[in-house]
Amino acid sequence: MNIVAKKPPLTIRLCQPRGFCAGVDRAIQIVVLALKKYGAPVYVRHEIVHNRYVVEGLQNLGAVFIEELHEIPADHRHCPVVFSAHGVPKSVPADADQRNLFYLDATCPLVSKVHKQAMRHSRLGRHVLLIGHAGHPEVIGTMGQLPPGAVTLVETEADAQTIEVSDPSALGFVTQTTLSVEDTAGIIRALENRFPQMQAAAAESICYATTNRQEAVKQSAAGVDLFLVVGAPNSSNSRRLVEVAERAGAKRSLLVQRALEIPWDTIDDLRVVGLSAGASAPEILVDEIVDAFRDRYDVRVEIAATAEETENFPVMRALRDVDLTPADMAFVNGSR
Ligand code: SF4
């Protein structure tokens, strides 16, 4: 008689919303549509979004990733070059113009909004305080909207307690879009205590997708034995989700890029797993992780929905004459 071992029961609490935001979706669509319209190669400056799987998928379609524009060979200057969703300093489009390149700017409209808010502060005579992480491409892009010295980066509450400014009565702040809502509130409080005349941006800089994904994780993490966030180590918003899960009561919280990174040998006695994905992580990888659990457990998926997202950012006019089919995006969305 064949005795099949019964799999142990497991509930996966699947956060909703999770994964791709409207800005990431748009940036990927821009590369896919440019490849359809102009053919390969399409150059992309910096990882279009912080996800290796997405980058490799686009490379397979004919995209070529570069870090700087001078890497484009002289005989390929007619090929389009796409700027990433994180935004670029003003010097980048200026450099592209000088080199006579044809560029498509995939900067998320919500990042462009932060750029405008920083420029507005400056136009009104305010020194800009940018709350964000040094070295992140979005921070480099936002700082690069203004001349050197016009923006001071504030990374932590300790920075907020110690930064020196020349005129405390003429300050304005903006933030990176993908920060921890809670940490940022603490930094802003510390700055406001020191500089009561500091002006906020006209609208919230942390974007809807960051806020919604953090809230969904916060609501679902209590009582979870293991919380997995699908995302890349260099994805700011994904790393924040891991921190939020820990703070909200998950016993253990991990960032994984693919199912093969799940440390099965250190996992035992699982009853409830929380699962979310950063804004740059494709749904096809969430499916892969659920399937990996199904191989080992008798899985019941419970949707933990906290918000419905309807945001959709259209691509630029130059690409609107090209049809985008579900098959074009299947490499990230799977068959949905
Ligand atoms: S995380 Fe927010 S700011 Fe960044 S691309 Fe997505 S919607 Fe835009």
Side-chain angles (χ1 to χ4, degrees):
M1 193 172 66
N2 246 349
I3 300 175
V4 180
K6 228 176 137 207
K7 294 177 189 173
L10 177 77
T11 299
I12 295 185
R13 215 175 269 170
L14 187 58
C15 289
Q16 195 171 295
R18 64 178 177 279
F20 279 5
C21 59
V24 162
D25 212 20
R26 174 178 179 269
I28 297 168
Q29 287 177 18
I30 288 171
V31 181
V32 169
L33 291 172
L35 282 160
K36 276 183 101 169
K37 181 163 178 170
Y38 305 106
V42 165
Y43 287 88
V44 184
R45 185 185 175 278
H46 192 69
E47 286 189 339
I48 184 79
V49 299
H50 283 156
N51 191 278
R52 203 63 230 149
Y53 185 90
V54 172
V55 167
E56 284 170 6
L58 291 171
Q59 279 170 332
N60 291 338
L61 296 175
V64 175
F65 287 81
I66 54 170
E67 279 309 308
E68 293 304 339
L69 300 180
H70 65 76
E71 295 166 45
I72 299 174
D75 58 343
H76 277 188
R77 289 210 174 141
H78 59 284
C79 302
V81 54
V82 181
F83 300 154
S84 81
H86 312 99
V88 289
K90 275 192 168 157
S91 56
V92 172
D95 185 22
D97 284 338
Q98 221 199 352
R99 292 171 190 274
N100 225 355
L101 297 173
F102 165 42
Y103 63 85
L104 296 162
D105 188 352
T107 301
C108 174
L110 300 184
V111 174
S112 301
K113 202 160 107 185
V114 175
H115 291 178
K116 286 191 190 112
Q117 289 165 348
M119 288 189 281
R120 181 171 180 274
H121 280 316
S122 185
R123 209 171 45 246
L124 294 173
R126 300 170 191 154
H127 180 78
V128 178
L129 302 180
L130 168 61
I131 302 170
H133 299 297
H136 190 280
E138 186 186 322
V139 165
I140 295 169
T142 302
M143 293 189 85
Q145 300 306 305
L146 291 167
V151 183
T152 299
L153 183 64
V154 182
E155 290 193 83
T156 60
E157 264 190 68
D159 286 352
Q161 308 288 3
T162 51
I163 54 155
E164 299 289 342
V165 296
S166 55
D167 182 358
S169 69
L171 290 176
F173 79 88
V174 292
T175 82
Q176 193 179 328
T177 57
T178 50
L179 300 178
S180 149
V181 174
E182 275 181 29
D183 291 350
T184 308
I187 295 172
I188 293 171
R189 261 196 309 276
L191 287 170
E192 282 172 341
N193 283 341
R194 283 190 68 205
F195 310 119
Q197 289 170 280
M198 178 183 74
Q199 300 291 315
E204 177 64 68
S205 309
I206 295 180
C207 79
Y208 81 96
T210 300
T211 309
N212 287 349
R213 278 151 194 67
Q214 286 180 18
E215 187 57 28
V217 169
K218 198 169 160 185
Q219 295 296 329
S220 60
V224 160
D225 302 306
L226 172 68
F227 205 105
L228 292 180
V229 175
V230 188
N234 58 344
S235 159
S236 169
N237 78 85
S238 305
R239 286 169 50 189
R240 301 295 81 78
L241 293 180
V242 176
E243 294 163 5
V244 169
E246 256 160 28
R247 282 186 201 165
K251 282 190 200 143
R252 188 177 174 195
S253 173
L254 288 176
L255 184 67
V256 287
Q257 303 195 70
R258 300 290 300 263
L260 52 81
E261 290 182 6
I262 299 172
W264 299 108
D265 50 345
T266 68
I267 292 175
D268 52 13
D269 211 16
L270 280 191
R271 284 172 304 108
V272 186
V273 166
L275 183 57
S276 184
S280 42
E283 186 65 9
I284 202 165
L285 299 184
V286 174
D287 293 344
E288 178 186 279
I289 283 173
V290 173
D291 287 345
F293 277 102
R294 284 194 202 284
D295 288 344
R296 295 162 174 85
Y297 295 87
D298 181 13
V299 169
R300 184 175 72 91
V301 175
E302 176 187 288
I303 303 292
T306 48
E308 197 184 330
E309 292 182 346
T310 52
E311 285 76 3
N312 173 39
F313 301 148
V315 300
M316 60 278 289
R317 196 160 291 130
L319 296 174
R320 286 188 203 156
D321 57 345
V322 192
D323 272 347
L324 184 78
T325 66
D328 291 329
M329 296 293 281
F331 75 105
V332 280
N333 292 341
S335 53
R336 78 189 156 130

